Amino acid sequence: MRVLHIVSSMNPESGGVSQAIKTLIEETSKLDVISHLAVVDSPDALYLQNEPLIIYALGPSKGVWQYSKLLLPWLIENLINYEVVIVHGLWLYHSYSVLKASKLVERSNHSRPKIYIMPHGMLDPWFQEAQGRKLKAIRNWLYWKIIEKRVVNELDGLLFTCETEMLLAQDTFSGYKPKMKKVVGLGIEAPPVFTKRMSDLFYNKCEGLKNENYILFLGRIHVKKGVDLLVNAYLALEALGTKLPKLVIAGPGLETDYGKKIQALASKSNSIYLPGMLNGEIKWGAFYCCEAFILPSHQENFGIAVAESLACSKPVLISNQVNIWREIEVGQGGIIFSDSLEGTQTALEQWFSLSLNQKKVMGLQAKAVYESKFAVDSTVRRFMEAISV
């Protein structure tokens, strides 16, 4: 089977979707699936260099719509070479161009491939309801009426990463009538085995943290992630004289206005570390050496870093706006809380009140949740079943 994956960008700083796509392609290749990847990144992008996957870089793209003049002609010429196409993400030029190319291929009396969309949370009602997004919500509503409703309804179906994502998507826009909806998951590769080099590299990045307990946040420094809730809750507990582990907030975005706000807040404590984005062995060192992972996000479709933490046997403290919270609650692999200052503070207090043995047991349960729900094998099986229909 030949499969084409299409995504606007593979920039790892945009979030974990790029790594999830790589994992899916690598794992399905073991089942004799030949996968190619089309993006509208510039061919010169550093993150595309030395990449073993077959990638057609059809950029650079232009503007907020990420338009590329090369994409549509390439799709018209090449769609017929594939049996299945997976469109990752919505609201940008690449999803519109796939719909347009498919119609043009059909008009030329060629049979087009099956085309499925993985929204990756982009149909979540949060984007239409969140404060400060009124103009963007109006823009999205107009775009839905004119273009994206046709993309969702006229292609062959939607593939979701979890049950909650699928349920939330059905209430965001009127006229939502996809031909097929299936949950396939988002498989996360098992982490590499821990080595001392991982911890050494991480502690070199966070000078003064060695031999200290710490809670880890790892993700984009963005208002959606609730990082301000985390810092303010930590500072409030510190002001009460609570004995606290250190707090590491790692990820890209410190240079943004919001990132600068977080830096200003964090400067009020000597116990908060902001090492920036972590990759490779340094990232795994951060996971393996922490006592728990925390994510007070206001909206999170899946939370790849959450699953990675579980895979490292680390309990997770996550808000009930992270769409995989139900699986974690059922498996008792962490603590679930509301995405508010009070909820975040309560979750931290609850974690600090646990005994060492209780924390150890929760870590074992965290690993069991990963293996039963988020390991890559089960995701690949569900994905193959969905696209083979």
Side-chain angles (χ1 to χ4, degrees):
M1 180 185 294
R2 292 172 61 85
V3 177
L4 175 66
H5 293 262
I6 304 174
V7 64
S8 183
S9 176
M10 287 294 285
N11 188 341
E13 293 192 8
S14 299
V17 171
S18 60
Q19 182 55 53
I21 294 171
K22 289 182 187 180
T23 300
L24 185 58
I25 291 175
E26 290 165 359
E27 292 300 316
T28 53
S29 71
K30 299 173 183 177
L31 303 175
D32 295 325
V33 175
I34 299 172
S35 296
H36 297 165
L37 183 60
V39 299
V40 292
D41 289 315
S42 169
D44 299 326
L46 290 177
Y47 45 83
L48 296 183
Q49 308 310 309
N50 302 315
E51 184 60 63
L53 305 179
I54 297 176
I55 300 178
Y56 298 98
L58 304 167
S61 61
K62 296 180 180 179
V64 294
W65 199 32
Q66 297 187 22
Y67 168 79
S68 166
K69 66 180 180 180
L70 300 178
L71 181 58
L72 182 59
W74 188 90
L75 288 172
I76 293 169
E77 182 177 351
N78 289 279
L79 275 186
I80 59 174
N81 297 326
Y82 299 92
E83 295 165 74
V84 176
V85 174
I86 309 295
V87 181
H88 295 272
L90 292 166
W91 305 112
L92 298 173
Y93 177 70
H94 73 292
S95 60
Y96 163 76
S97 65
V98 171
L99 176 66
K100 187 170 183 178
S102 70
K103 298 298 183 185
L104 292 172
V105 167
E106 287 176 329
R107 289 172 193 165
S108 64
N109 295 321
H110 287 92
S111 61
R112 68 164 177 83
K114 289 286 187 180
I115 304 176
Y116 302 101
I117 302 163
M118 290 195 74
H120 293 286
M122 294 184 183
L123 289 173
D124 194 297
W126 180 86
F127 294 103
Q128 296 301 102
E129 299 168 357
Q131 291 184 353
R133 289 186 55 88
K134 186 174 182 179
L135 290 177
K136 290 181 179 179
I138 293 171
R139 176 200 64 188
N140 286 354
W141 182 83
L142 290 171
Y143 190 84
W144 170 261
K145 292 293 183 182
I146 298 169
I147 294 175
E148 211 70 325
K149 181 167 70 172
R150 292 180 55 219
V151 173
V152 167
N153 292 344
E154 294 181 20
L155 296 178
D156 294 295
L158 302 184
L159 306 179
F160 294 99
T161 59
C162 61
E163 188 78 18
T164 299
E165 182 197 3
M166 184 173 70
L167 294 174
L168 288 172
Q170 66 190 12
D171 297 323
T172 307
F173 295 102
S174 61
Y176 169 81
K177 296 178 181 178
K179 295 178 180 178
M180 179 270 279
K181 298 177 289 182
K182 288 198 175 181
V183 176
V184 297
L186 195 66
I188 306 300
E189 278 189 299
V193 176
F194 172 74
T195 65
K196 185 175 181 297
R197 173 179 165 81
M198 292 175 181
S199 59
D200 288 344
L201 289 171
F202 171 66
Y203 287 131
N204 287 339
K205 189 78 171 178
C206 293
E207 188 176 348
L209 191 63
K210 193 171 185 179
N211 300 322
E212 299 278 359
N213 291 331
Y214 65 90
I215 304 291
L216 175 67
F217 167 94
L218 193 148
R220 281 187 301 143
I221 311 301
H222 188 279
V223 64
K224 190 185 79 164
K225 304 284 186 177
V227 187
D228 55 307
L229 300 180
L230 174 57
V231 177
N232 281 319
Y234 187 89
L235 292 174
L237 290 173
E238 196 171 53
L240 292 172
T242 307
K243 186 178 180 181
L244 303 173
K246 307 297 185 182
L247 175 61
V248 175
I249 298 174
L254 289 172
E255 76 288 351
T256 66
D257 289 342
Y258 182 75
K260 291 173 183 176
K261 173 185 174 182
I262 296 302
Q263 290 182 70
L265 283 172
S267 67
K268 297 177 182 180
S269 172
N270 293 324
S271 297
I272 301 177
Y273 293 75
L274 300 168
M277 186 172 179
L278 304 181
N279 283 314
E281 290 181 291
I282 299 178
K283 181 189 81 169
W284 292 116
F287 276 124
Y288 276 119
C289 295
C290 75
E291 61 175 58
F293 176 88
I294 187 165
L295 179 61
S297 189
H298 298 298
Q299 189 278 329
E300 198 75 34
N301 176 54
F302 184 87
I304 290 174
V306 177
E308 290 177 331
S309 181
L310 296 170
C312 294
S313 300
K314 301 298 177 177
V316 296
L317 286 59
I318 61 171
S319 78
N320 57 10
Q321 302 305 307
V322 179
N323 284 350
I324 58 174
W325 71 269
R326 289 182 175 86
E327 290 88 338
I328 291 162
E329 183 176 62
V330 169
Q332 299 181 328
I335 295 170
I336 312 301
F337 58 94
S338 64
D339 60 326
S340 64
L341 180 59
E342 181 181 2
T344 307
Q345 185 170 329
T346 300
L348 288 170
E349 290 174 320
Q350 186 177 343
W351 172 255
F352 301 149
S353 70
L354 297 178
S355 67
L356 288 176
N357 186 61
Q358 287 173 318
K359 291 178 179 179
K360 182 179 179 180
V361 169
M362 192 177 285
L364 295 174
Q365 292 166 170
K367 182 63 175 287
V369 171
Y370 161 74
E371 291 177 342
S372 63
K373 299 294 183 181
F374 309 125
V376 70
D377 290 349
S378 59
T379 296
V380 168
R381 174 179 53 77
R382 290 190 295 267
F383 175 79
M384 293 303 298
E385 289 173 354
I387 68 172
S388 299
V389 173

